[in-house]
Amino acid sequence: MAKVIVVTSGKGGVGKTTTSASFAVGLAQKGFRTVVIDFDVGLRNLDLIMGCERRVVYDFINVIHDDANLSQALIKDKRVENLYILAASQTRDKDALTMEGVESIIMELKKSFDYIICDSPAGIEKGAFMAMYFADEALIVTNPEVSSVRDADRILGLLDAKTFRAKNGDEPVRQHLLVTRYVPSRVEKGEMLGVNDINDILNVPLLGVIPESTQVLQSSNAGLPVILEAGTSAAQAYEDAVCRIAGENRPMRFLQERKPSLLQRIFGGG
């Protein structure tokens, strides 16, 4: 049965769209038919990170308002089998989203996809509410800083009280914590919250830790989800998190500073 996963945080700039793109790619690589939807109407970025901005003809809002059908708006990824993208509108605003329209599209996608990833906009306004409303699971993305964690805590309250599952008395939305831009050395110096500190505040199971990496920005600018940059720490961390959400057991990495190898210490590559 199809799963709807919202990627959310409350705060902007924590890596929601980067996470949505990498999770969609990772799940598709594992053989699951996956679609990722951009809910950030008016400020879309998912198509840029996915490298398909020039292929957007019809978007999410076009389908909601019957200007196009779903098959016309879905963009098939050229690099990864089983992966599709539904872009947001760049010219409309959040008011163009309707609950009935979103529900209709989600129900239609459930017929042919295993995973539906909803890339939420920042904040707690209409777009974010719509992105989480029909979720079965939620990825709570936060940076290891107090303001980001506080905003994530506000989102947890909405997930518990304002979703379709909550209103119908169903099993709650399953929540996972993803900590991005993590630097163990700064945690040790007290300059950054550690995962234990964050868990004390949010009390959400830790799905993964994404280390701070310049590769994330470089990949985004190149229109390449960072999970495809095989061998980089960010790609490995996202792959681990994807495997965990798909039910695999993987040890948690990147919680400690990586020590340089002997050769790196000798030749200065560390």
Side-chain angles (χ1 to χ4, degrees):
M1 186 174 179
K3 284 185 181 178
V4 180
I5 301 177
V6 62
V7 180
T8 183
S9 71
K11 185 177 177 62
V14 300
K16 287 186 297 294
T17 300
T18 295
T19 296
S20 296
S22 285
F23 263 77
V25 168
L27 288 166
Q29 286 178 323
K30 295 180 76 63
F32 298 108
R33 281 182 57 82
T34 304
V35 59
V36 55
I37 307 173
D38 190 347
F39 274 80
D40 202 356
V41 178
L43 293 170
R44 76 181 189 210
N45 283 309
L46 179 67
D47 57 314
L48 291 172
I49 291 180
M50 297 299 296
C52 64
E53 68 277 9
R54 295 184 181 180
R55 298 172 59 204
V56 177
V57 178
Y58 296 108
D59 57 50
F60 193 14
I61 300 303
N62 291 140
V63 180
I64 286 176
H65 291 276
D66 293 323
D67 299 322
N69 60 47
L70 194 53
S71 61
Q72 289 176 299
L74 285 174
I75 300 170
K76 189 178 190 307
D77 191 87
K78 291 182 175 181
R79 295 165 296 210
V80 182
E81 194 68 27
N82 301 314
L83 179 59
Y84 292 79
I85 301 99
L86 182 56
S89 172
Q90 205 168 15
T91 57
R92 305 290 291 272
D93 59 31
K94 304 290 191 297
D95 290 335
L97 286 169
T98 67
M99 187 67 76
E100 297 77 13
V102 172
E103 181 177 22
S104 175
I105 290 173
I106 294 289
M107 293 304 109
E108 186 65 26
L109 290 171
K110 279 188 171 184
K111 296 176 184 176
S112 52
F113 287 93
D114 301 308
Y115 283 96
I116 301 165
I117 309 296
C118 301
D119 180 24
S120 174
I124 54 173
E125 40 62 59
K126 186 174 183 178
F129 175 70
M130 293 280 190
M132 73 171 64
Y133 190 74
F134 295 102
D136 301 309
E137 302 190 28
L139 295 183
I140 316 300
V141 184
T142 182
N143 292 158
E145 58 182 57
V146 173
S147 62
S148 181
V149 174
R150 182 184 62 182
D151 288 348
D153 196 34
R154 178 74 187 278
I155 291 295
L156 294 177
L158 296 177
L159 288 167
D160 288 337
K162 297 291 187 179
T163 62
F164 180 86
R165 283 176 171 268
K167 291 192 173 183
N168 285 273
D170 296 334
E171 185 178 337
V173 174
R174 188 180 178 198
Q175 298 166 0
H176 312 272
L177 176 64
L178 191 78
V179 181
T180 56
R181 305 195 69 176
Y182 198 75
V183 184
S185 62
R186 295 190 63 192
V187 173
E188 291 175 9
K189 294 175 184 175
E191 299 173 352
M192 187 175 277
L193 294 176
V195 291
N196 291 333
D197 302 318
I198 297 169
N199 194 50
D200 285 345
I201 299 168
L202 300 180
N203 194 28
V204 173
L206 181 65
L207 182 72
V209 172
I210 313 299
E212 177 72 276
S213 172
T214 57
Q215 193 61 54
V216 173
L217 179 59
Q218 292 169 18
S219 297
S220 297
N221 288 339
L224 185 73
V226 71
I227 197 172
L228 291 174
E229 295 281 9
T232 64
S233 58
Q236 292 167 359
Y238 272 118
E239 184 183 354
D240 285 349
V242 169
C243 288
R244 292 186 195 109
I245 209 167
E248 294 182 31
N249 205 351
R250 288 211 173 186
M252 197 68 64
R253 298 192 280 175
F254 308 107
L255 294 176
Q256 305 294 330
E257 196 70 21
R258 299 175 82 176
K259 295 192 178 352
S261 69
L262 177 60
L263 287 176
Q264 286 175 327
R265 292 198 300 271
I266 292 171
F267 295 106

